[in-house]
Amino acid sequence: MLHPSLRGARACVFDAGGTLIHPDWPRLAGLVADLAGRTFGADEMRRAMSEVLKAAGSEVQKSGAPLTDERTRHWVFRRVYLALGMGEEACARAVGRLDAAHDERHLWCGLDAEAPRVVEGLKCEGLLTAVISNTEDGRLGDALQAAGIASSFGLLLDSQLVGCRKPDAAIFRLALERLGVEAGETAFVGDSYESDALAARAVGMRAVLLDPLGLHPESVCPRIRSLGELLGDARDSTAAS
Ligand SMILES: [Mg+2]
């Protein structure tokens, strides 16, 4: 049975990074192994990224302004490397390598293991599916293509291409308009508390926060640990409430 937030909904809109697709962690670790003096594990990188994003969200909420480094190339990965103990200089040197690797193949090309089944399942239930993503380079389609899931969505909105970005209400309203649905009959699923969940909720959408590590007990939106819960998969015993 569908998650309560999806029952009776006509559409489900997803965030991309951290929700449908994930960074290619082994490649990101390999790129800086010499600079870091060790090879980071995927799990520690994943956790560091979740914490970086949570801290970034709090910063934005407190200051009411965009992050100072948000327009800096690969700011998330720089902050992840810093959090894992690399120095500022090593992080700065990593940027050129990230650029080169990203040109070759999108760095966010790891498909969430449950995403294909969940998206197909929602479509079978008659829901329209779409993606809204904040990108630095207009390559949302490219990322989803590299991950092998681009063709599953009827609508892709890339912030860089449409000229507005989450958490602005404008990008959510644009998706609703293009899908031809009302906010109240549309779910939004994303991993950022501020830019996805609270922002979608503010326009009246049924926001669901993907919180795999349980970092957001303060959430006023329903939380899921994994995408499978959207189709009613049982959550594990440590699940977020
Ligand atoms: Mg995200």
Side-chain angles (χ1 to χ4, degrees), residues 112-198:
D112 185 273
E114 297 181 352
R117 180 177 62 88
V118 169
V119 175
E120 286 315 308
L122 295 178
K123 286 163 74 174
C124 284
E125 294 282 338
L127 277 83
L128 301 169
T129 54
V131 181
I132 300 179
S133 176
N134 285 354
T135 73
E136 300 174 352
D137 51 18
R139 286 178 61 189
L140 168 64
D142 188 15
L144 295 175
Q145 197 84 46
I149 199 172
S151 60
S152 296
F153 301 96
L155 173 69
L156 304 181
L157 287 189
D158 181 321
S159 64
Q160 202 65 23
L161 303 182
V162 299
C164 47
R165 50 198 288 123
K166 298 177 291 182
D168 285 354
I171 198 162
F172 295 95
R173 295 209 177 101
L174 183 61
L176 296 170
E177 187 189 310
R178 293 211 182 153
L179 289 168
V181 292
E182 299 296 326
E185 55 191 12
T186 305
F188 189 92
V189 182
D191 69 313
S192 163
Y193 185 46
E194 287 78 12
S195 297
D196 293 323
L198 290 181

Side-chain angles (χ1 to χ4, degrees), residues 65-105:
L67 296 170
T68 48
D69 57 352
E70 195 178 337
R71 299 292 170 133
T72 312
R73 298 275 295 158
H74 309 295
W75 70 272
V76 173
F77 298 137
R78 284 180 71 152
R79 286 194 182 201
V80 166
Y81 290 143
L82 259 182
L84 291 171
M86 273 171 57
E88 292 273 4
E89 197 192 323
C91 291
R93 284 179 63 193
V95 172
R97 300 182 185 186
L98 290 167
D99 271 339
H102 189 53
D103 283 347
E104 209 171 287
R105 187 159 189 252

